[in-house]
Coordinates of all heavy atoms in Angstrom, one line a residue:
M997 N 51.3 -66.9 177.6 CA 52.2 -68.0 178.0 C 52.2 -69.1 177.0 O 51.1 -69.6 176.6 CB 51.7 -68.5 179.4 CG 52.4 -69.7 179.8 SD 51.8 -70.4 181.4 CE 53.3 -70.4 182.3
K998 N 53.3 -69.6 176.6 CA 53.5 -70.6 175.6 C 53.8 -71.9 176.3 O 54.8 -72.0 177.1 CB 54.6 -70.3 174.6 CG 54.3 -69.2 173.7 CD 55.4 -69.0 172.7 CE 55.1 -67.8 171.8 NZ 56.2 -67.5 171.0
T999 N 53.0 -72.9 176.1 CA 53.2 -74.3 176.7 C 53.5 -75.2 175.6 O 52.8 -75.3 174.6 CB 52.0 -74.7 177.5 OG1 51.7 -73.7 178.5 CG2 52.3 -76.1 178.2
V1000 N 54.6 -76.0 175.8 CA 54.9 -77.1 174.8 C 54.8 -78.4 175.5 O 55.4 -78.6 176.6 CB 56.3 -76.8 174.2 CG1 56.7 -78.0 173.3 CG2 56.4 -75.5 173.5
I1001 N 54.1 -79.4 174.9 CA 54.0 -80.7 175.5 C 54.5 -81.7 174.4 O 54.0 -81.7 173.3 CB 52.5 -81.0 175.8 CG1 51.9 -80.0 176.8 CG2 52.4 -82.5 176.3 CD1 50.4 -80.1 177.0
M1002 N 55.5 -82.4 174.8 CA 56.2 -83.3 173.8 C 56.4 -84.7 174.4 O 56.6 -84.8 175.6 CB 57.5 -82.8 173.4 CG 57.5 -81.4 172.7 SD 56.9 -81.5 171.0 CE 58.1 -82.5 170.2
Q1003 N 56.3 -85.7 173.6 CA 56.7 -87.1 174.0 C 58.2 -87.2 173.9 O 58.8 -86.6 173.1 CB 56.0 -88.1 173.1 CG 54.5 -88.1 173.2 CD 53.9 -89.2 172.2 OE1 54.6 -90.0 171.7 NE2 52.6 -89.1 172.0
P1004 N 58.7 -88.1 174.7 CA 60.2 -88.4 174.6 C 60.5 -89.1 173.3 O 59.7 -89.9 172.8 CB 60.4 -89.3 175.8 CG 59.1 -89.9 176.2 CD 58.1 -88.9 175.8
T1005 N 61.6 -88.8 172.8 CA 62.1 -89.5 171.6 C 63.6 -89.8 171.8 O 64.3 -89.2 172.6 CB 62.0 -88.6 170.3 OG1 62.8 -87.4 170.5 CG2 60.6 -88.2 170.0
Y1006 N 64.1 -90.8 171.0 CA 65.5 -91.2 171.1 C 66.2 -90.3 170.1 O 65.9 -90.2 168.9 CB 65.6 -92.6 170.7 CG 67.0 -93.2 170.6 CD1 67.8 -93.1 171.7 CD2 67.5 -93.8 169.5 CE1 69.1 -93.6 171.7 CE2 68.8 -94.3 169.5 CZ 69.6 -94.2 170.6 OH 70.9 -94.7 170.6
L1007 N 67.2 -89.6 170.6 CA 68.0 -88.6 169.8 C 67.1 -87.5 169.2 O 66.8 -87.6 168.0 CB 68.8 -89.2 168.7 CG 69.9 -90.2 169.2 CD1 70.6 -90.9 168.0 CD2 70.9 -89.6 170.1
P1008 N 66.5 -86.6 170.0 CA 65.6 -85.6 169.5 C 66.2 -84.8 168.4 O 67.4 -84.5 168.4 CB 65.3 -84.7 170.7 CG 65.9 -85.4 171.9 CD 66.8 -86.5 171.4
W1009 N 65.4 -84.3 167.5 CA 65.8 -83.5 166.4 C 66.0 -82.0 166.9 O 65.5 -81.6 168.0 CB 64.8 -83.6 165.3 CG 63.4 -83.4 165.7 CD1 62.6 -84.2 166.4 CD2 62.5 -82.2 165.4 NE1 61.4 -83.7 166.6 CE2 61.3 -82.5 166.0 CE3 62.7 -81.0 164.8 CZ2 60.3 -81.6 165.9 CZ3 61.7 -80.2 164.7 CH2 60.5 -80.4 165.3
M1010 N 66.6 -81.2 166.1 CA 67.0 -79.8 166.5 C 65.7 -79.0 166.8 O 65.7 -78.2 167.7 CB 67.8 -79.1 165.5 CG 69.2 -79.6 165.4 SD 70.2 -79.5 166.9 CE 70.2 -77.7 167.1
G1011 N 64.6 -79.2 166.0 CA 63.4 -78.5 166.3 C 62.8 -78.7 167.6 O 62.1 -77.9 168.2
Y1012 N 63.0 -79.9 168.2 CA 62.6 -80.3 169.5 C 63.1 -79.3 170.5 O 62.4 -78.8 171.4 CB 63.1 -81.7 169.8 CG 62.4 -82.4 170.9 CD1 61.4 -83.3 170.7 CD2 62.9 -82.3 172.2 CE1 60.8 -84.0 171.7 CE2 62.3 -83.0 173.2 CZ 61.3 -83.9 173.0 OH 60.7 -84.6 174.0
F1013 N 64.5 -79.1 170.4 CA 65.1 -78.1 171.4 C 64.7 -76.7 171.1 O 64.6 -75.9 172.0 CB 66.6 -78.3 171.3 CG 67.1 -79.6 171.7 CD1 67.6 -80.5 170.7 CD2 67.0 -80.1 173.0 CE1 68.0 -81.8 171.1 CE2 67.5 -81.3 173.4 CZ 68.0 -82.2 172.4
G1014 N 64.4 -76.4 169.8 CA 63.9 -75.0 169.5 C 62.5 -74.8 170.2 O 62.3 -73.7 170.7
M1015 N 61.7 -75.8 170.2 CA 60.4 -75.6 170.9 C 60.5 -75.5 172.4 O 59.8 -74.7 173.0 CB 59.5 -76.8 170.5 CG 58.9 -76.7 169.1 SD 57.7 -77.9 168.8 CE 58.7 -79.4 168.4
I1016 N 61.5 -76.2 173.0 CA 61.7 -76.1 174.4 C 62.2 -74.6 174.7 O 61.8 -74.0 175.7 CB 62.8 -77.1 174.9 CG1 62.2 -78.5 174.8 CG2 63.3 -76.8 176.3 CD1 63.2 -79.6 175.0
D1017 N 63.1 -74.1 173.8 CA 63.7 -72.8 174.0 C 62.6 -71.7 174.0 O 62.7 -70.7 174.8 CB 64.7 -72.5 172.9 CG 65.5 -71.3 173.1 OD1 65.9 -71.0 174.3 OD2 65.7 -70.5 172.2
I1018 N 61.6 -71.8 173.1 CA 60.6 -70.7 173.0 C 59.5 -70.9 174.1 O 58.7 -69.9 174.3 CB 59.9 -70.6 171.6 CG1 59.2 -71.9 171.3 CG2 61.0 -70.3 170.6 CD1 58.2 -71.7 170.1
A1019 N 59.4 -72.0 174.8 CA 58.3 -72.3 175.7 C 58.5 -71.6 177.0 O 59.6 -71.5 177.5 CB 58.2 -73.8 175.9
D1020 N 57.4 -71.1 177.6 CA 57.4 -70.6 179.0 C 57.3 -71.8 179.9 O 57.9 -71.8 181.0 CB 56.3 -69.6 179.2 CG 56.4 -68.4 178.3 OD1 57.5 -67.8 178.3 OD2 55.4 -68.0 177.7
M1021 N 56.6 -72.8 179.5 CA 56.5 -74.0 180.3 C 56.6 -75.2 179.3 O 56.0 -75.3 178.3 CB 55.1 -74.1 181.0 CG 55.0 -75.4 181.8 SD 53.5 -75.7 182.8 CE 52.4 -74.4 182.3
F1022 N 57.5 -76.2 179.7 CA 57.7 -77.4 178.9 C 57.2 -78.6 179.7 O 57.6 -78.8 180.8 CB 59.1 -77.6 178.5 CG 59.4 -78.8 177.7 CD1 59.0 -78.9 176.4 CD2 60.0 -79.9 178.3 CE1 59.3 -80.1 175.7 CE2 60.2 -81.1 177.6 CZ 59.9 -81.2 176.3
V1023 N 56.4 -79.4 179.1 CA 55.9 -80.6 179.7 C 56.4 -81.8 178.9 O 56.2 -82.0 177.7 CB 54.3 -80.7 179.7 CG1 53.8 -82.0 180.4 CG2 53.8 -79.5 180.5
F1024 N 57.1 -82.7 179.6 CA 57.6 -83.9 179.1 C 56.6 -85.0 179.3 O 56.5 -85.6 180.3 CB 58.9 -84.3 179.8 CG 59.9 -85.1 179.0 CD1 60.1 -84.9 177.6 CD2 60.6 -86.2 179.5 CE1 60.9 -85.7 176.9 CE2 61.4 -86.9 178.8 CZ 61.6 -86.7 177.5
Y1025 N 55.8 -85.3 178.3 CA 54.6 -86.2 178.4 C 55.1 -87.6 178.1 O 55.2 -88.1 177.0 CB 53.6 -85.8 177.3 CG 52.3 -86.5 177.4 CD1 51.6 -86.6 178.7 CD2 51.7 -87.1 176.3 CE1 50.4 -87.3 178.7 CE2 50.5 -87.8 176.4 CZ 49.8 -87.9 177.6 OH 48.7 -88.5 177.7
D1026 N 55.4 -88.3 179.2 CA 55.9 -89.6 179.1 C 55.0 -90.7 179.5 O 55.4 -91.9 179.7 CB 57.2 -89.7 179.9 CG 57.0 -89.6 181.4 OD1 56.0 -89.2 181.8 OD2 58.0 -89.9 182.1
D1027 N 53.7 -90.4 179.7 CA 52.7 -91.4 180.0 C 51.9 -91.8 178.8 O 50.7 -91.6 178.8 CB 51.8 -90.9 181.2 CG 50.9 -92.0 181.8 OD1 51.3 -93.2 181.7 OD2 49.9 -91.6 182.3
V1028 N 52.5 -92.3 177.8 CA 51.8 -92.6 176.5 C 52.2 -94.1 176.2 O 53.1 -94.6 176.7 CB 52.2 -91.7 175.4 CG1 51.7 -90.3 175.6 CG2 53.7 -91.7 175.2
Q1029 N 51.4 -94.6 175.3 CA 51.6 -96.0 174.8 C 52.9 -96.1 174.0 O 53.1 -95.3 173.1 CB 50.5 -96.5 173.9 CG 50.6 -97.9 173.4 CD 50.6 -99.0 174.4 OE1 49.8 -98.9 175.4 NE2 51.4 -100.0 174.3
F1030 N 53.8 -97.0 174.4 CA 55.1 -97.2 173.7 C 54.8 -97.9 172.3 O 54.1 -98.8 172.3 CB 56.1 -98.0 174.5 CG 57.4 -98.2 173.8 CD1 58.3 -97.2 173.8 CD2 57.6 -99.4 173.2 CE1 59.5 -97.4 173.1 CE2 58.8 -99.6 172.5 CZ 59.8 -98.6 172.5
E1031 N 55.4 -97.4 171.3 CA 55.2 -98.0 169.9 C 56.6 -98.5 169.5 O 57.5 -97.8 169.4 CB 54.7 -97.0 168.9 CG 53.3 -96.4 169.2 CD 52.9 -95.4 168.2 OE1 53.3 -95.6 167.0 OE2 52.2 -94.5 168.5
K1032 N 56.6 -99.8 169.2 CA 57.8 -100.4 168.6 C 58.0 -99.9 167.2 O 57.1 -99.5 166.5 CB 57.6 -102.0 168.6 CG 57.7 -102.6 169.9 CD 57.4 -104.1 169.8 CE 58.7 -104.8 169.5 NZ 58.6 -106.3 169.5
Q1033 N 59.3 -99.8 166.9 CA 59.7 -99.3 165.5 C 59.3 -97.9 165.3 O 59.0 -97.5 164.2 CB 59.2 -100.2 164.4 CG 59.6 -101.7 164.5 CD 61.0 -101.9 164.3 OE1 61.6 -101.3 163.4 NE2 61.7 -102.8 165.1
S1034 N 59.3 -97.1 166.4 CA 58.9 -95.7 166.2 C 60.1 -94.8 166.6 O 61.1 -95.2 167.0 CB 57.7 -95.3 167.1 OG 58.1 -95.3 168.5
W1035 N 59.9 -93.5 166.5 CA 60.9 -92.5 166.9 C 61.2 -92.5 168.4 O 62.1 -92.0 168.8 CB 60.5 -91.1 166.4 CG 60.4 -91.0 164.9 CD1 59.3 -90.9 164.2 CD2 61.5 -91.1 164.0 NE1 59.5 -90.8 162.9 CE2 60.9 -91.0 162.7 CE3 62.9 -91.2 164.1 CZ2 61.7 -91.0 161.5 CZ3 63.6 -91.2 162.9 CH2 63.0 -91.1 161.7
Q1036 N 60.3 -93.2 169.2 CA 60.5 -93.3 170.6 C 61.7 -94.3 170.9 O 62.4 -94.2 171.9 CB 59.3 -93.9 171.3 CG 58.1 -92.9 171.3 CD 56.9 -93.6 171.9 OE1 56.6 -94.8 171.6 NE2 56.2 -92.9 172.7
Q1037 N 61.9 -95.2 169.9 CA 62.9 -96.2 170.1 C 64.1 -96.1 169.2 O 65.2 -96.6 169.5 CB 62.3 -97.6 169.9 CG 63.2 -98.7 170.0 CD 62.6 -100.0 169.5 OE1 61.5 -100.1 169.1 NE2 63.4 -101.1 169.5
R1038 N 64.0 -95.5 168.1 CA 65.1 -95.5 167.1 C 65.2 -94.1 166.4 O 64.2 -93.3 166.4 CB 64.9 -96.6 166.1 CG 63.6 -96.4 165.2 CD 63.4 -97.6 164.4 NE 62.3 -97.3 163.5 CZ 62.0 -97.9 162.3 NH1 62.9 -98.8 161.9 NH2 61.0 -97.6 161.6
N1039 N 66.3 -93.9 165.7 CA 66.5 -92.7 164.9 C 67.5 -92.9 163.9 O 68.3 -93.8 164.0 CB 66.9 -91.5 165.8 CG 66.4 -90.2 165.3 OD1 66.4 -90.0 164.1 ND2 66.1 -89.3 166.2
K1040 N 67.6 -92.1 162.8 CA 68.6 -92.2 161.8 C 69.7 -91.2 162.1 O 69.4 -90.1 162.5 CB 68.0 -91.9 160.4 CG 67.2 -93.0 159.8 CD 66.9 -92.6 158.4 CE 66.2 -93.8 157.7 NZ 65.8 -93.5 156.3
I1041 N 70.9 -91.6 161.8 CA 72.0 -90.7 161.9 C 72.8 -90.8 160.6 O 72.7 -91.7 159.8 CB 73.0 -91.0 163.1 CG1 73.6 -92.4 162.9 CG2 72.3 -90.9 164.4 CD1 74.8 -92.6 163.8
K1042 N 73.6 -89.7 160.3 CA 74.4 -89.7 159.1 C 75.8 -90.1 159.5 O 76.4 -89.6 160.5 CB 74.4 -88.3 158.5 CG 75.2 -88.3 157.2 CD 75.1 -86.9 156.5 CE 73.8 -86.7 155.9 NZ 73.8 -85.4 155.1
T1043 N 76.4 -91.1 158.8 CA 77.7 -91.6 159.1 C 78.8 -90.6 158.5 O 78.4 -89.8 157.6 CB 77.9 -93.0 158.5 OG1 77.8 -92.9 157.1 CG2 76.9 -94.0 159.1
P1044 N 80.0 -90.8 158.9 CA 81.1 -89.9 158.3 C 81.2 -90.0 156.8 O 81.6 -89.1 156.1 CB 82.4 -90.4 159.0 CG 81.9 -90.9 160.3 CD 80.6 -91.6 160.0
S1045 N 80.8 -91.2 156.2 CA 80.8 -91.3 154.8 C 79.6 -90.7 154.0 O 79.5 -90.7 152.8 CB 80.9 -92.8 154.4 OG 79.7 -93.5 154.8
G1046 N 78.7 -90.2 154.8 CA 77.5 -89.5 154.2 C 76.3 -90.4 154.1 O 75.2 -89.9 153.8
E1047 N 76.4 -91.7 154.4 CA 75.3 -92.6 154.4 C 74.5 -92.4 155.7 O 74.9 -91.9 156.7 CB 75.7 -94.0 154.3 CG 76.5 -94.3 153.0 CD 77.1 -95.7 153.0 OE1 76.5 -96.6 153.6 OE2 78.1 -95.9 152.3
T1048 N 73.2 -92.9 155.7 CA 72.4 -92.9 156.9 C 72.3 -94.3 157.4 O 72.3 -95.3 156.7 CB 71.0 -92.4 156.6 OG1 70.3 -93.2 155.7 CG2 71.0 -90.9 156.2
M1049 N 72.2 -94.4 158.8 CA 72.0 -95.7 159.4 C 71.1 -95.5 160.6 O 70.9 -94.4 161.1 CB 73.3 -96.3 159.9 CG 74.0 -95.6 161.0 SD 75.6 -96.3 161.5 CE 75.0 -97.6 162.6
W1050 N 70.4 -96.6 161.0 CA 69.5 -96.6 162.1 C 70.2 -96.9 163.4 O 71.0 -97.8 163.5 CB 68.4 -97.6 161.9 CG 67.3 -97.3 160.9 CD1 67.3 -97.8 159.6 CD2 66.3 -96.4 161.1 NE1 66.2 -97.2 159.0 CE2 65.5 -96.4 159.9 CE3 65.8 -95.6 162.1 CZ2 64.4 -95.6 159.7 CZ3 64.7 -94.8 162.0 CH2 64.0 -94.8 160.8
L1051 N 69.9 -96.1 164.4 CA 70.3 -96.4 165.8 C 69.0 -96.8 166.6 O 68.1 -96.1 166.5 CB 71.0 -95.2 166.5 CG 72.4 -94.9 166.1 CD1 72.9 -93.7 166.9 CD2 73.3 -96.1 166.3
S1052 N 69.1 -97.9 167.3 CA 67.9 -98.3 168.0 C 68.2 -98.6 169.5 O 69.3 -99.0 169.8 CB 67.3 -99.6 167.4 OG 66.9 -99.4 166.1
V1053 N 67.3 -98.4 170.4 CA 67.4 -98.7 171.8 C 67.0 -100.2 171.9 O 65.9 -100.6 171.4 CB 66.5 -97.9 172.7 CG1 66.6 -98.3 174.1 CG2 66.9 -96.4 172.5
L1054 N 67.8 -101.0 172.4 CA 67.5 -102.4 172.6 C 66.5 -102.6 173.8 O 66.7 -102.0 174.9 CB 68.8 -103.2 172.9 CG 68.8 -104.7 172.6 CD1 68.4 -105.0 171.2 CD2 70.2 -105.2 172.8
L1055 N 65.4 -103.3 173.6 CA 64.4 -103.5 174.6 C 64.3 -104.9 175.1 O 64.4 -105.9 174.2 CB 63.1 -103.1 174.1 CG 63.0 -101.6 173.6 CD1 61.6 -101.4 173.0 CD2 63.2 -100.7 174.7
F1056 N 64.2 -105.1 176.3 CA 64.0 -106.4 176.9 C 62.6 -106.5 177.6 O 62.3 -105.5 178.3 CB 65.1 -106.8 177.9 CG 66.4 -106.9 177.3 CD1 67.3 -105.8 177.3 CD2 66.9 -108.0 176.7 CE1 68.6 -105.9 176.8 CE2 68.1 -108.2 176.2 CZ 69.0 -107.1 176.2
V1057 N 62.0 -107.6 177.5 CA 60.7 -107.8 178.2 C 60.9 -108.8 179.2 O 61.4 -109.9 179.0 CB 59.6 -108.2 177.2 CG1 58.3 -108.5 178.0 CG2 59.4 -107.2 176.1
I1058 N 60.6 -108.5 180.5 CA 60.7 -109.5 181.6 C 59.3 -110.0 181.8 O 58.3 -109.3 182.1 CB 61.2 -108.8 182.8 CG1 62.6 -108.2 182.6 CG2 61.2 -109.8 184.0 CD1 63.2 -107.4 183.7
L1059 N 59.1 -111.3 181.7 CA 57.9 -112.0 181.9 C 57.8 -112.6 183.3 O 58.8 -113.2 183.7 CB 57.6 -113.1 180.8 CG 57.7 -112.6 179.4 CD1 57.6 -113.8 178.4 CD2 56.5 -111.6 179.1
D1060 N 56.7 -112.4 184.0 CA 56.6 -112.9 185.3 C 56.0 -114.4 185.1 O 54.9 -114.6 184.8 CB 55.6 -112.1 186.1 CG 55.5 -112.6 187.5 OD1 56.3 -113.3 188.0 OD2 54.5 -112.1 188.2
R1061 N 56.8 -115.4 185.4 CA 56.4 -116.8 185.2 C 56.3 -117.5 186.5 O 56.9 -118.5 186.7 CB 57.5 -117.5 184.3 CG 57.6 -116.8 182.9 CD 58.5 -117.6 182.1 NE 58.6 -117.0 180.8 CZ 59.3 -117.4 179.8 NH1 60.1 -118.5 179.9 NH2 59.3 -116.8 178.6
Q1062 N 55.4 -117.0 187.3 CA 55.2 -117.7 188.6 C 54.1 -118.7 188.5 O 53.2 -118.6 187.9 CB 54.9 -116.7 189.7 CG 56.1 -115.8 190.0 CD 55.8 -114.8 191.1 OE1 54.7 -114.6 191.5 NE2 56.8 -114.1 191.5

């Protein structure tokens, strides 16, 4: 039995889906420390002109000010 355990990423790479495909069991491990400026939040894409650019998920922090 092949088990694959992966953290969530923003715009997963093709190998990510390949690992899911070969796994008998896939675990989406989402109980990890979030890291700013990591692949969890951003990724590079290639533009139609061939250049690369960063895409990022915008994050908001809600502070409890009671």
Side-chain angles (χ1 to χ4, degrees):
M997 175 183 236
K998 293 181 184 176
T999 302
V1000 174
I1001 303 170
M1002 297 288 291
Q1003 294 181 10
T1005 60
Y1006 178 54
L1007 299 176
W1009 51 287
M1010 289 301 295
Y1012 195 96
F1013 297 109
M1015 286 189 275
I1016 293 172
D1017 189 43
I1018 65 166
D1020 297 312
M1021 181 179 6
F1022 178 75
V1023 178
F1024 203 42
Y1025 187 51
D1026 64 349
D1027 188 24
V1028 293
Q1029 178 67 38
F1030 179 79
E1031 295 181 35
K1032 289 177 87 176
Q1033 303 291 320
S1034 74
W1035 297 109
Q1036 293 171 320
Q1037 176 193 359
R1038 64 186 187 156
N1039 210 325
K1040 280 187 177 181
I1041 64 164
K1042 188 179 279 190
T1043 65
S1045 65
E1047 298 176 25
T1048 58
M1049 67 179 279
W1050 285 102
L1051 285 181
S1052 297
V1053 176
L1054 203 52
L1055 301 175
F1056 294 96
V1057 176
I1058 299 173
L1059 301 174
D1060 186 16
R1061 298 185 179 179
Q1062 293 181 355

